[in-house]
Amino acid sequence: MKKANLLSALLLASIAAHAQPPGKDAAPLGLELGKTKCARMTPGPNRVKTGMSPWAGGDTVEIKRLDRFNLPGLTHATVNCDAQDTVALITLTFDRSALDEVSKKLDARYESRRKTEPNAENGYAEWEAANGSLEMLYARDSKQFTLAYWAKGAKAKYFTYSGTPDRKPAAPATPSPTQPAPL
């Protein structure tokens, strides 16, 4: 009996050690990143399919009735799905007046990764969630800001900023025979 209790305690401790911290998953608008199937979002006057996401291969859906989410300042919401019909990116646009409130909420919920200086020409902030990452982008004098919720691995999969592995580096420039070589 003692052995069974000990094994049960070890099993529970192992599960607890590998479990995600509660509340650290990103699920904006109630759609969990990387898990929610876009087919779950039934079409209708509140959800309008606006086309296909050329970079992810799935539907792009615009959410129309934003007041029901109780997010002050929210003016636009778009959901991008991947080719497997899973939510890959949710983009939320807010009035600039909500910037401080939204930033504080994100700081309280997620681990902050990077932020630009408050007086920078363009603002950028990044947070890490258990199931993805969040990016906030804005210009200093803009009337709005954008918050992008990326499913885990989606940003790296669809947007590589350092080039692609199959792309060969450009050949070094060689001086033409009519021009003298630089000193």
Side-chain angles (χ1 to χ4, degrees):
M1 188 66 150
K2 283 185 180 182
K3 217 176 209 183
N5 288 339
L6 179 61
L7 287 174
S8 296
L10 287 173
L11 178 63
L12 289 174
S14 173
I15 291 171
H18 290 89
Q20 300 283 352
K24 299 296 181 189
D25 282 341
L29 311 179
L31 304 170
E32 188 174 348
L33 299 175
K35 288 191 179 179
T36 302
K37 295 294 181 184
C38 293
R40 179 178 155 236
M41 298 187 306
T42 56
N46 188 38
R47 295 177 180 99
V48 178
K49 182 179 170 186
T50 58
M52 295 289 286
S53 175
W55 52 269
D59 290 340
T60 298
V61 177
E62 183 179 345
I63 309 292
K64 294 291 188 179
R65 204 177 113 221
L66 302 173
D67 57 328
R68 69 190 191 109
F69 297 113
N70 195 25
L71 295 170
L74 182 62
T75 61
H76 189 259
T78 304
V79 179
N80 288 281
C81 306
D82 64 14
Q84 289 75 41
D85 193 44
T86 305
V87 173
L89 170 67
I90 298 176
T91 307
L92 305 176
T93 303
F94 290 87
D95 284 330
R96 181 61 180 257
S97 61
L99 180 67
D100 290 337
E101 182 181 347
V102 170
S103 293
K104 286 177 187 174
K105 285 182 180 179
L106 294 173
D107 283 338
R109 182 171 175 122
Y110 303 108
E111 181 182 344
S112 180
R113 291 286 183 197
R114 185 171 68 140
K115 292 184 182 181
T116 58
E117 294 292 320
N119 295 326
E121 197 65 33
N122 293 311
Y124 179 83
E126 184 177 358
W127 293 267
E128 190 70 30
N131 61 343
S133 63
L134 296 80
E135 289 182 304
M136 181 186 291
L137 308 159
Y138 57 93
R140 182 174 26 172
D141 298 328
S142 66
K143 295 180 193 267
Q144 296 182 319
F145 67 94
T146 299
L147 183 58
Y149 287 82
W150 290 94
K152 191 173 209 111
K155 184 177 167 189
K157 179 178 179 182
Y158 298 118
F159 295 99
T160 55
Y161 298 108
S162 61
T164 57
D166 60 333
R167 184 183 294 171
K168 293 180 182 175
T174 56
S176 84
T178 58
Q179 294 178 342
L183 297 174

